Amino acid sequence: MELVLGEERRAVVAYCHRMVADGLVVGTSGNISARRGELIAVTPSGLAYEELTPDLVGVHRLDGTPVDAPLAPTTELPTHLAAYQATGGNAVVHTHSAAATAVATLVDELPSVHYLVALFGGPIRVARYATYGTDELAESVTAALAGRTGCLLGNHGTIAVGDTLAKAYAKAQYLEWLCDVWLRAKAAGEPRVLDAAEIDRVGRKLASYGASAPEVRGADATPDSR
């Protein structure tokens, strides 16, 4: 018998394994969800990624009600639900990647040291710190995602949203890279920063770049992709 949201559950497992291999999380930190209609497939709480299988990925409604969830959902379920409501996206990736988490302890907004911040709809905000798993954190993320498809979480990690799980995951990778670039540049001196007009200009170029249609408030391709 086919699992409810079987395709999404299998994709969540695959990207969780990749998230570990790519060093975007440590231990059982981080979480992933994928949406189809009014249902989401989301990682359970506290389970080692190597033990995760599609049947252990829970399915919940957008109000958090379980539909087919053998284990308790990630404690960050309220944050995932808030991200869906704020963006209308179809996938959310939450990481604890090192460079991004470090930046989230230093600034209230990631300086625009590279035009790829346009992938997220503009300068990347840092959501005000709140205890993990709380409604306060969900509210903070909602504010940081206004007009954006990604943000940093103060002293915590990252959230990336996409219209597919592949695109949300790619944005999580880009966000880590942008933070690493800024940290390296800042360690060597005072980085030059691109102004808002240039980021807007790049955003418009990305919206018509390549064969795929852009996401709302963010493009799917980059000028360097082939």
Side-chain angles (χ1 to χ4, degrees):
M1 183 175 178
E2 176 63 15
L3 291 169
V4 178
L5 293 194
E7 181 180 348
E8 286 78 9
R9 290 162 103 167
R10 289 187 288 273
V12 165
V13 171
Y15 276 98
C16 282
H17 292 166
R18 183 173 171 184
M19 191 164 59
V20 173
D22 289 343
L24 298 180
V25 294
V26 292
T28 61
S29 66
N31 29 78
I32 290 177
S33 66
R35 172 183 176 181
R36 190 200 303 171
E38 299 302 305
L39 299 178
I40 66 167
V42 63
T43 48
S45 177
L47 184 70
Y49 286 116
E50 62 266 24
E51 299 175 13
L52 184 63
T53 55
D55 59 302
L56 295 179
V57 174
V59 175
H60 294 255
R61 294 189 176 90
L62 288 175
D63 63 0
T65 304
V67 173
D68 182 12
L71 301 174
T74 170
T75 55
E76 298 294 9
L77 180 59
T79 299
H80 283 250
L81 298 177
Y84 285 119
Q85 185 173 5
T87 66
N90 291 320
V92 175
V93 175
H94 168 46
T95 79
H96 287 188
S97 52
T101 302
V103 171
T105 71
L106 295 171
V107 294
D108 295 325
E109 183 178 279
L110 175 64
S112 297
V113 292
H114 194 280
Y115 62 77
L116 283 182
V117 299
L119 286 172
F120 299 87
I124 297 160
R125 306 181 187 106
V126 179
R128 177 178 46 81
Y129 178 81
T131 304
Y132 74 90
T134 61
D135 290 339
E136 289 78 11
L137 179 58
E139 292 169 3
S140 183
V141 166
T142 296
L145 285 176
R148 301 290 185 268
T149 55
C151 68
L152 302 180
L153 310 183
N155 297 73
H156 184 157
T158 77
I159 288 283
V161 183
D163 64 3
T164 67
L165 186 47
K167 291 169 185 175
Y169 190 83
K171 287 187 178 182
Q173 292 179 300
Y174 281 125
L175 188 47
E176 174 66 2
W177 181 83
L178 285 165
C179 289
D180 187 46
V181 167
W182 182 74
L183 286 172
R184 292 176 186 231
K186 187 68 174 175
E190 192 58 38
R192 289 191 301 272
V193 177
L194 300 175
D195 62 26
E198 175 59 13
I199 299 306
D200 288 344
R201 185 178 302 113
V202 171
R204 290 192 296 273
K205 287 174 66 69
L206 290 176
S208 60
Y209 180 82
S212 60
E215 292 181 13
V216 176
R217 298 183 297 277
D220 297 335
T222 75
D224 298 324
S225 62
R226 294 291 184 268

